[in-house]
Amino acid sequence: QMQLVESGGGLVQAGGSLRLSCAASRRTFSLYHMGWFRQAPGKEREFVAAIARSASSTLYADSVKGRFTISRDNAKISVYLEMNSLTPEDTAVYYCAANVGGWGTEVRRYDYWGQGTQVTVSS
């Protein structure tokens, strides 16, 4: 079983930056496509960013494109989300997700999930 643990969340002011990390438990981490999702209070979980197992391709939600950057380090079995120019609309619990099969923007494509880390952006 793949286990994922997110960290790096916290409280930041609008316009600030934050870096989220997701540590995986499997040495076969390089075989998994990875994604970041977020869920705000009263809202459905939504796609944020994804990165292919090869790290050669990435996907971003329109709302974060140009501000967020997803990356991975297979040697450290970790995936990261650099968040810049944060706004209050980015406030949510952020989840790391993994899947060995196909990748994309849909929640259903991912089989493994972390517990989430809270990101709060104040105005």
Side-chain angles (χ1 to χ4, degrees):
Q1 294 182 333
M2 170 71 89
Q3 292 183 320
L4 305 170
V5 180
E6 303 96 333
S7 63
L11 175 64
V12 298
Q13 296 184 68
S17 299
L18 207 58
R19 188 193 194 205
L20 305 183
S21 298
C22 174
S25 64
R26 303 282 289 273
R27 65 189 301 273
T28 54
F29 171 73
S30 62
L31 299 178
Y32 291 80
H33 300 297
M34 302 297 298
W36 284 97
F37 292 76
R38 66 186 182 186
Q39 187 167 21
K43 304 293 184 180
E44 294 184 356
R45 191 167 300 187
E46 66 176 357
F47 171 76
V48 176
I51 187 166
R53 57 170 62 96
S54 67
S56 61
S57 298
T58 57
L59 292 172
Y60 294 95
D62 289 341
S63 60
V64 306
K65 191 172 184 179
R67 299 190 297 122
F68 291 11
T69 302
I70 187 170
S71 62
R72 67 190 296 161
D73 187 333
N74 289 341
K76 295 182 178 180
I77 56 173
S78 296
V79 63
Y80 308 96
L81 185 68
E82 295 278 358
M83 304 185 293
N84 300 308
S85 301
L86 287 163
T87 72
E89 287 69 40
D90 295 315
T91 295
V93 175
Y94 284 70
Y95 297 90
C96 177
N99 188 55
V100 74
W103 70 311
T105 63
E106 296 179 316
V107 169
R108 66 178 182 83
R109 289 185 175 272
Y110 297 86
D111 296 325
Y112 305 97
W113 295 84
Q115 84 288 351
T117 185
Q118 177 71 49
V119 172
T120 302
V121 184
S122 64
S123 59

